[in-house]
Amino acid sequence: MAEVVRPKLFSILLFFCIARLAHLERCQSTHFVNDLVEEEDSSWPDEEDGVDTVQSRHDPRRQSCDMSTGKWVVDESYPLYDSNCPYLSSTVTCQRNGRPDSDYQKWRWKPHACSLPRFDALKFLAKIRRKRIMLVGDSIMRNQWESLVCLVQGVIPTGRKTVSYNGPSMAFHAMDFETSIEFSWAPLLVELTKGPQNKRILHLDLIEENAKYWRGVDVLVFDSAHWWTHSDKWSSWDYYMEGRSMFTNINPMVAYEKGLTTWAKWVDLNLDPRRTRVIFRSMSPRHNRENGWKCYNQKQPLAYFSHRHVPEQLVVLQQVVRRMRFPVYLQDITAMSALRRDGHPSVYRRAMNQQERQNPRGFSSDCSHWCLPGVPDTWNEMLTALL
């Protein structure tokens, strides 16, 4: 009997030894993976406490703050720069163009659940030292790029800053920080080409001609919404194309989703989250109702909305981002900016003479872009907090 038990006991002991060795190997492998993760994450500084955004995947362990909900409060220490900044285009220099009031420059965004740090140019430049940040989109993203350049350029000595151009892109270089703040024109993200008889074709599934300028960038900030909803009169294309199929009419939101999905696939396939951060800024609201005059002569933000309207473009964008593998940060500026009907150039999109100022309604009113200094400065304060 003893001879029978001894082999069984030996087999049992051997089983436990093998199991123990396997457990130790798994533990060592886990520590090795954790070490790799920590090493990979070290390339970017941690986010500031209390700051987070909507992501494609939520991490419940993060302390979050919804910076998109809050109120505008008067702050006499604003603006953070003046309209003499040499990098501003003439269409957004409302003070130089004769706008008589300046209170629109004095409003600071105050989130309900946390504080939004005041923009600090030296801290921002330190965060992106030896890195490239690129804003990609339409003329309103150009609006934001001009704001960001003006926010930082004042701390950089003359002769140590310059602007260069490359195709649809332009870059502000801060030489001592070995960094660049760039803008790349791609209002639809996907490709718009000329076909036979000069017909304009919007390719819903092609993007590389635009995306080749985005490669190698450390921080990419995207926006794309307005051009997708232009009326037939102002549409930028004659046909849609997907694969070999060509269409004259598609529901704008269906086309928008297809275009965003092409962008999302490119990001998932071509970018490495260990090296690149991607932020998608939600659509900037227009105040164009009442024949484009809703923003004219407005001097105060709205205090609140009787009901919050979520634009269809934002719903589509959220759905596309949530399906992505790459961790995209969705920066929601739509509702907070919708309160600021006072912040647009209106008729002060160009300089007017004295006679013209007496009858400003003779000119078209721009209720889409933003006066600078102004609302996009707050978007850039949010962007800095995200980095």
Side-chain angles (χ1 to χ4, degrees):
M1 179 69 70
E3 292 178 359
V4 175
V5 172
R6 199 172 290 117
K8 287 185 177 180
L9 182 60
F10 176 80
S11 299
I12 293 170
L13 289 173
L14 181 61
F15 172 82
F16 278 111
C17 287
I18 293 171
R20 179 62 177 166
L21 286 171
H23 173 72
L24 288 172
E25 186 176 355
R26 281 197 303 271
C27 289
Q28 289 172 349
S29 176
T30 301
H31 288 308
F32 177 68
V33 171
N34 288 341
D35 289 343
L36 276 180
V37 171
E38 289 172 6
E39 184 178 339
E40 289 166 358
D41 288 346
S42 65
S43 61
W44 282 101
D46 292 334
E47 294 178 8
E48 296 182 25
D49 291 342
V51 175
D52 200 3
T53 62
V54 177
Q55 293 179 272
S56 52
R57 289 179 297 280
H58 297 278
D59 186 344
R61 295 170 297 178
R62 287 178 181 246
Q63 184 181 0
S64 63
C65 167
D66 182 1
M67 288 189 290
S68 67
T69 59
K71 62 180 179 179
W72 291 97
V73 297
V74 174
D75 190 328
E76 292 297 332
S77 69
Y78 281 69
L80 301 172
Y81 59 92
D82 62 43
S83 59
N84 292 321
C85 172
Y87 301 96
L88 294 180
S89 55
S90 60
T91 54
V92 300
T93 53
C94 303
Q95 291 288 292
R96 281 192 273 172
N97 291 343
R99 180 167 175 167
D101 62 303
S102 60
D103 287 349
Y104 67 91
Q105 301 178 349
K106 299 289 185 180
W107 295 94
R108 173 174 59 84
W109 180 247
K110 188 178 186 309
H112 290 316
C114 56
S115 62
L116 181 60
R118 181 186 176 92
F119 189 90
D120 185 311
L122 288 174
K123 281 186 178 180
F124 175 80
L125 288 167
K127 283 182 177 182
I128 63 168
R129 179 186 290 274
R130 299 188 181 91
K131 290 183 170 66
R132 297 171 60 195
I133 179 170
M134 178 182 283
L135 282 61
V136 181
D138 56 19
S139 58
I140 298 176
M141 186 60 96
R142 163 77 182 263
N143 212 175
Q144 184 177 351
W145 176 81
E146 292 182 11
S147 161
L148 186 55
V149 170
C150 287
L151 283 166
V152 304
Q153 68 90 26
V155 301
I156 304 171
T158 303
R160 305 303 298 164
K161 51 193 172 185
T162 186
V163 174
S164 65
Y165 300 88
N166 177 27
S169 302
M170 61 182 70
F172 172 85
H173 302 272
M175 299 177 191
D176 293 330
F177 291 87
E178 301 176 57
T179 192
S180 60
I181 301 170
E182 306 176 34
F183 167 73
S184 186
W185 174 259
L188 297 157
L189 300 182
V190 293
E191 296 177 22
L192 182 64
T193 63
K194 284 286 183 70
Q197 300 177 337
N198 276 338
K199 294 296 184 182
R200 301 162 302 171
I201 302 172
L202 180 59
H203 298 267
L204 297 175
D205 55 354
L206 297 181
I207 199 169
E208 185 57 39
E209 279 303 305
N210 294 326
K212 65 185 180 184
Y213 295 98
W214 313 339
R215 295 179 183 275
V217 177
D218 301 284
V219 181
L220 283 163
V221 185
F222 293 94
D223 106 290
S224 183
H226 286 295
W227 280 42
W228 292 93
T229 55
H230 284 174
S231 63
D232 291 341
K233 179 182 177 182
W234 300 106
S235 177
S236 301
W237 59 86
D238 301 299
Y239 299 102
Y240 298 97
M241 195 164 184
E242 189 175 21
R244 296 183 178 181
S245 301
M246 192 173 289
F247 313 91
T248 53
N249 287 305
I250 301 179
N251 180 295
M253 289 301 98
V254 172
Y256 183 50
E257 182 176 12
K258 287 178 179 290
L260 282 183
T261 300
T262 298
W263 164 83
K265 288 178 179 177
W266 184 90
V267 170
D268 277 341
L269 289 172
N270 291 278
L271 299 183
D272 183 346
R274 295 169 297 182
R275 293 191 173 94
T276 306
R277 284 205 173 179
V278 176
I279 297 166
F280 205 115
R281 197 208 70 211
S282 69
M283 68 176 297
S284 171
R286 303 170 183 169
H287 294 92
N288 281 337
R289 290 191 293 270
E290 299 175 11
N291 298 320
W293 286 92
K294 192 165 186 180
C295 70
Y296 173 67
N297 211 27
Q298 295 294 335
K299 298 177 182 178
Q300 295 280 329
L302 293 166
Y304 60 91
F305 299 112
S306 56
H307 64 281
R308 183 170 177 173
H309 170 68
V310 179
E312 204 171 355
Q313 294 97 317
L314 181 54
V315 175
V316 172
L317 173 60
Q318 289 171 333
Q319 290 171 347
V320 171
V321 168
R322 287 193 180 107
R323 293 196 296 263
M324 296 176 67
R325 294 191 302 272
F326 194 100
V328 173
Y329 292 70
L330 178 56
Q331 181 188 0
D332 186 357
I333 56 88
T334 304
M336 60 177 286
S337 304
L339 295 169
R340 294 299 308 277
R341 61 182 181 179
D342 61 310
H344 299 287
S346 183
V347 296
Y348 304 105
R349 59 192 300 174
R350 69 171 182 82
M352 295 185 289
N353 59 38
Q354 188 61 37
Q355 183 178 359
E356 290 172 336
R357 289 181 189 179
Q358 292 174 355
N359 183 30
R361 281 185 173 268
F363 300 92
S364 61
S365 183
D366 182 354
C367 297
S368 296
H369 299 91
W370 300 91
C371 295
L372 292 178
V375 172
D377 302 333
T378 298
W379 304 348
N380 285 322
E381 287 185 309
M382 294 173 68
L383 175 61
T384 305
L386 300 182
L387 298 179

